[in-house]
Amino acid sequence: ESRFGRLHRLEAGVKRFKPPRLDDWYRPILELDYFATVGLASASEDGTRTVSKLKEVPVCFQSPEQYMEIFRPLVLEEFKAQLNSSFLEMSSWEEMYVGSLSVMSVERVDDFHLVRFIYDDNDSAASRTFSENDLVLLTKEPLQKSSHDIHMIGKVCHHIFS
């Protein structure tokens, strides 16, 4: 039997680890209710149920899929805790960059909407403060208003300076 044939049979018996899709990670983050996460609004039942669904980390994992299944929710909870901590450390809303944007285009890519914005004000220095993978909070009303019914979290990707 050839070396190649033996190696091919061995590989066939080994289950390959399938890397997670990025939207498996981004979706729960982009779907967060920012104001509920930082404690400015009441959390939905879904948010409180997530914590009860966390699984105990075993000493040994049976598969890469089990590892991802256990750690993905834990990483999301850690992210939410860090988001809340960052909010609590802010002394005021002024520490956040606030500006006006206009939508240039909207395109659906997989399960996400890719939205291209342009700054309404001429503060070009502010636009340079955003980096690839930064999260941005988009609201309909200024942050200082008490109602935050309409808002969303976005991720900066392919940031282009004009």
Side-chain angles (χ1 to χ4, degrees):
E1 183 177 351
S2 74
R3 184 183 225 177
F4 176 75
R6 241 182 326 201
L7 181 62
H8 188 66
R9 254 200 346 265
L10 283 174
E11 285 182 350
V14 174
K15 189 176 180 185
R16 293 271 183 218
F17 174 65
K18 181 182 168 195
R21 297 178 343 156
L22 285 179
D23 54 340
D24 291 342
W25 289 97
Y26 289 137
R27 181 184 320 282
I29 291 171
L30 297 175
E31 289 177 344
L32 284 176
D33 180 339
Y34 175 81
F35 296 103
T37 302
V38 300
L40 292 177
S42 58
S44 67
E45 279 188 28
D46 288 344
T48 55
R49 272 191 266 145
T50 302
V51 176
S52 64
K53 287 184 179 180
L54 296 177
K55 296 179 182 175
E56 188 174 329
V57 178
V59 174
C60 180
F61 293 96
Q62 301 300 318
S63 67
E65 290 79 16
Q66 182 194 27
Y67 176 88
M68 295 300 293
E69 178 186 324
I70 289 173
F71 271 102
R72 185 178 293 123
L74 293 171
V75 169
L76 181 60
E77 289 305 310
E78 176 64 22
F79 171 79
K80 291 193 295 190
Q82 288 181 4
L83 193 62
N84 189 6
S85 176
S86 295
F87 174 78
L88 294 174
E89 290 172 5
M90 272 190 337
S91 59
S92 69
W93 286 112
E94 281 73 39
E95 288 187 32
M96 295 178 99
Y97 169 73
V98 177
S100 296
L101 304 170
S102 291
V103 175
M104 291 176 47
S105 67
V106 178
E107 174 186 352
R108 186 164 180 108
V109 178
D110 297 325
D111 292 334
F112 297 97
H113 288 92
L114 181 62
V115 183
R116 290 180 177 84
F117 294 99
I118 188 166
Y119 288 93
D120 288 344
D121 50 9
N122 292 328
D123 188 3
S124 62
S127 68
R128 288 183 172 79
T129 62
F130 293 114
S131 300
E132 186 81 12
N133 293 321
D134 279 354
L135 292 180
V136 293
L137 175 64
L138 303 169
T139 61
K140 183 177 179 184
E141 300 293 328
L143 287 172
Q144 293 79 3
K145 298 238 177 171
S146 59
S147 175
H148 303 290
D149 296 333
I150 301 174
H151 72 280
M152 64 189 297
I153 296 176
K155 183 182 95 51
V156 175
C157 61
H158 309 298
H159 185 234
I160 300 171
F161 301 109
S162 54

